[in-house]
Amino acid sequence: MDDFSLRRGHTYGTIICDLRTGRPIDLLPSRDTEAVLEWLDAQPRITLVSRDRFLPYAEAVRLTSHPVVDVLDRFHLVQNLWKLYETAVASILPNKIFLDEEEQSETITQQDEAERKRWDHPTWHRALEIKKARAEGESIASIARRLAISRNTVYNDIHREAPIIWGRRSRTHEVQQWKGRIIELEEKHLTVQQILETVRSEGYTAASRAVRLVVEAIRRDRRNVSRYPEPPFFSRRRALGYLWKWHMGDAPERREVVDKLLVRFPELRPVFCFVHSFRESIRHKDGPGMLALLTSEFERKDRFTIRFVRRLLKEAEGIKNACENPESNGLVEGHVNRLKLVKRTMYGRASFRLLRIKVLHHPS
């Protein structure tokens, strides 16, 4: 029994390889159905063909004059499944995903509470009372006597547009203005004393201890990069990796992340179940189970999977054979890369006939 593999080329036509030896045996200058069908009809010994998802190949295999087992390549199936999954995740998930939403909401609540207390401070209520009294015509001196405050305080409250921000104001130390220069000097492997003498000569006047503390912090951060915590959000790309590589035997923290994603984004659940059921059918070589999965998914009319499933159902026999047969296009892909390299080195200087001779081990 001779089994062959068909692989579509982008500019060179069709490469045909023997699945037993992996050797390319022919190179066709065309990719259309007629050319492939003519070649297959001239090879009556062929009983099985593994192919990618190029539709003219499917048509040629279906129209051959002798029975041929049509096997879709599993690599291309999984590759198309990945693109489908990537599109669905990009449509459903935001670019930044906050998984610990409770902690985030708790922080926001604390900030809201602090802001509420600020607007509820007695000094702001006093300012509102003074504004109202002044609008009704009461004099500055009268307001000051009634509230037992100075007239300057009355003037300040009248012109105040918002509550006072309470708390100690942080002062910027002079060394912060020199931090960039200190980092630059430290990268040159200077000692603390050399750095201090250099910045002193350039105009630094504050304490030497401040420079020493800055240099120590720079070196500590370099030694221990992991001291910086991970960002409090998940990127969409990272979430896609967790969802694609999900398995029941995963580490608990990875499974917890996937569980949180599926709870937060319920629209993702059907696509998640379909993708992993599809991969399990291929992994366990379950052809009937694959067809049942595609049929039920087509009836569900999901907006992400409907076109993918409709196309696969047109090639139901090839899908079933792909799950039940070990053959694939794996042996062909290396030859395709070699063919592309040869083609590029010959570009503009040779013909298709010479390309065919260089590529084939035994040109016919």
Side-chain angles (χ1 to χ4, degrees):
M1 181 179 70
D2 293 326
D3 301 335
F4 291 88
S5 174
L6 300 179
R7 173 61 156 79
R8 174 172 59 96
H10 293 283
T11 59
Y12 49 79
T14 302
I15 182 172
I16 304 174
C17 293
D18 190 333
L19 288 177
R20 295 174 305 174
T21 63
R23 292 182 175 182
I25 60 170
D26 211 341
L27 185 64
L28 305 181
S30 176
R31 298 176 296 170
D32 57 12
T33 303
E34 289 76 11
V36 178
L37 179 59
E38 182 180 354
W39 190 92
L40 286 174
D41 286 340
Q43 310 291 334
R45 68 185 187 278
I46 294 178
T47 58
L48 184 145
V49 169
S50 175
R51 61 176 178 85
D52 62 14
R53 298 187 63 201
F54 192 47
L55 284 180
Y57 292 165
E59 189 69 13
V61 172
R62 187 178 63 83
L63 295 176
T64 49
S65 57
H66 53 280
V68 175
V69 178
D70 181 21
V71 178
L72 275 176
D73 182 53
R74 290 179 293 278
F75 167 78
H76 291 93
L77 286 174
V78 176
Q79 185 183 48
N80 297 147
L81 184 71
W82 162 261
K83 293 180 180 178
L84 164 73
Y85 207 20
E86 192 176 27
T87 302
V89 169
S91 300
I92 297 172
L93 299 185
N95 194 32
K96 294 181 179 180
I97 307 162
F98 291 90
L99 294 178
D100 297 327
E101 199 172 46
E102 296 179 359
E103 297 179 7
Q104 183 190 17
S105 61
E106 182 179 349
T107 303
I108 295 174
T109 303
Q110 292 175 355
Q111 295 174 351
D112 293 344
E113 181 66 17
E115 188 69 11
R116 187 191 64 78
K117 288 182 178 179
R118 178 188 167 205
W119 287 86
D120 198 35
H121 199 273
T123 57
W124 178 243
H125 289 290
R126 185 193 64 197
L128 294 177
E129 182 182 352
I130 291 174
K131 288 174 181 287
K132 181 179 179 182
R134 186 59 180 164
E136 293 175 353
E138 188 174 355
S139 66
I140 300 293
S142 174
I143 296 174
R145 285 194 303 270
R146 180 166 58 83
L147 298 178
I149 57 177
S150 68
R151 285 181 290 178
N152 287 338
T153 303
V154 175
Y155 280 117
N156 290 337
D157 285 349
I158 289 174
H159 295 96
R160 182 171 291 120
E161 298 297 334
I164 301 173
I165 299 177
W166 299 95
R168 183 177 180 180
R169 295 183 181 179
S170 60
R171 294 181 295 176
T172 303
H173 196 280
E174 182 183 350
V175 75
Q176 297 300 323
Q177 303 173 7
W178 291 85
K179 190 171 182 179
R181 179 60 174 158
I182 293 173
I183 294 174
E184 181 183 342
L185 294 172
E186 199 278 334
E187 289 175 350
K188 297 179 180 179
H189 307 289
L190 300 182
T191 64
V192 175
Q193 187 62 35
Q194 290 172 331
I195 293 173
L196 179 60
E197 292 174 357
T198 303
V199 294
R200 285 261 192 238
S201 64
E202 295 176 0
Y204 176 75
T205 59
S208 59
R209 183 173 181 273
V211 176
R212 184 175 294 106
L213 291 175
V214 170
V215 174
E216 288 177 357
I218 294 170
R219 293 173 180 173
R220 183 172 60 248
D221 292 348
R222 185 185 297 117
R223 286 194 305 269
N224 188 16
V225 178
S226 62
R227 72 187 295 269
Y228 295 102
E230 292 188 0
F233 60 84
F234 249 60
S235 66
R236 181 194 297 151
R237 192 71 186 177
R238 187 180 175 192
L240 176 61
Y242 274 49
L243 290 166
W244 176 259
K245 297 177 182 178
W246 176 87
H247 190 266
M248 287 299 293
D250 282 345
E253 56 271 16
R254 294 180 67 93
R255 292 180 58 187
E256 183 181 359
V257 169
V258 174
D259 291 343
K260 287 183 178 181
L261 288 171
L262 296 179
V263 170
R264 286 274 308 282
F265 304 96
E267 191 180 2
L268 190 61
R269 298 174 198 167
V271 184
F272 175 82
C273 294
F274 170 73
V275 167
H276 286 281
S277 299
F278 191 98
R279 296 175 68 187
E280 285 297 311
S281 297
I282 292 179
R283 185 178 295 113
H284 296 295
K285 299 181 179 180
D286 185 7
M290 172 67 79
L291 294 181
L293 172 67
L294 295 176
T295 302
S296 62
E297 187 67 20
F298 180 75
E299 293 173 352
R300 201 172 61 83
K301 304 294 182 182
D302 185 85
R303 65 188 181 99
F304 296 113
T305 62
I306 183 64
R307 293 180 61 187
F308 178 76
V309 172
R310 184 188 294 123
R311 167 77 182 275
L312 289 181
L313 286 176
K314 293 179 181 178
E315 304 174 273
E317 190 63 26
I319 291 286
K320 181 174 179 293
N321 293 332
C323 294
E324 297 175 348
N325 289 271
E327 290 80 11
S328 72
N329 274 29
L331 296 173
V332 191
E333 299 303 324
H335 291 298
V336 170
N337 291 334
R338 182 174 67 89
L339 176 59
K340 289 181 178 180
L341 177 62
V342 173
K343 175 175 65 72
R344 287 164 185 157
T345 57
M346 295 172 53
Y347 180 75
R349 298 186 292 110
S351 63
F352 181 84
R353 178 174 172 272
L354 180 59
L355 174 65
R356 188 170 182 271
I357 293 173
K358 287 175 72 67
V359 167
L360 301 183
H361 287 273
H362 305 285
S364 55

